[in-house]
Amino acid sequence: MNTKKNAILNSDCDFVLAMENTMYPNYLYEKIWDAFNTDRVALYLGDTRIEFHIPTNCFVDLRPYFNTATKEFDLEGLGKRLREMTQEEYDEILNNARKFRETGKGKYRHYMDLLTQRIIDIIVK
């Protein structure tokens, strides 16, 4: 994970594309947490019930730009949305994500990483 995080931090990007392998209710893994931890605005698609886990003001929700029937993105609409995003709006999304990251739910990925490392340490011993 540190390699992925370092690659993003060393890049000249403002957004992190965070897409799950599938669109399924409550299927939420590391993608959005990785984006939050790099302090970039996440563009998220995956969990169809994401708003029950993470406030939608913490990221750019890609669901309105994805047609589930055809599996196609409205890239023109998404591009327009991102080009028209003001610095103030970007900063607000980023600040919302920072605040969320400090909540119990927001620290979920951190605790999962700690648990994973403990299990690896036990296995390796």
Side-chain angles (χ1 to χ4, degrees), residues 112-125:
M112 288 301 296
D113 289 344
L114 288 176
L115 177 60
T116 300
Q117 190 58 55
R118 284 184 181 169
I119 292 170
I120 290 170
D121 291 345
I122 290 169
I123 292 170
V124 172
K125 285 184 181 181

Side-chain angles (χ1 to χ4, degrees), residues 32-98:
I32 198 162
W33 307 107
D34 288 346
F36 289 163
N37 289 331
T38 59
D39 221 25
R40 305 295 200 283
V41 169
L43 308 176
Y44 182 77
L45 183 68
D47 183 352
T48 56
R49 294 172 35 93
I50 187 70
E51 64 275 8
F52 291 96
H53 306 287
I54 300 173
T56 56
N57 66 354
C58 295
F59 59 93
V60 174
D61 189 351
L62 296 181
R63 290 178 295 181
Y65 305 99
F66 184 71
N67 184 320
T68 56
T70 65
K71 307 294 187 240
E72 294 178 359
F73 270 100
D74 173 10
L75 296 177
E76 187 175 316
L78 177 58
K80 183 176 188 290
R81 163 85 163 91
L82 298 179
R83 283 189 305 276
E84 292 178 355
M85 182 181 288
T86 65
Q87 186 64 53
E88 290 79 19
E89 184 180 4
Y90 181 92
D91 292 343
E92 183 178 350
I93 294 169
L94 193 57
N95 286 328
N96 291 336
R98 288 173 180 155

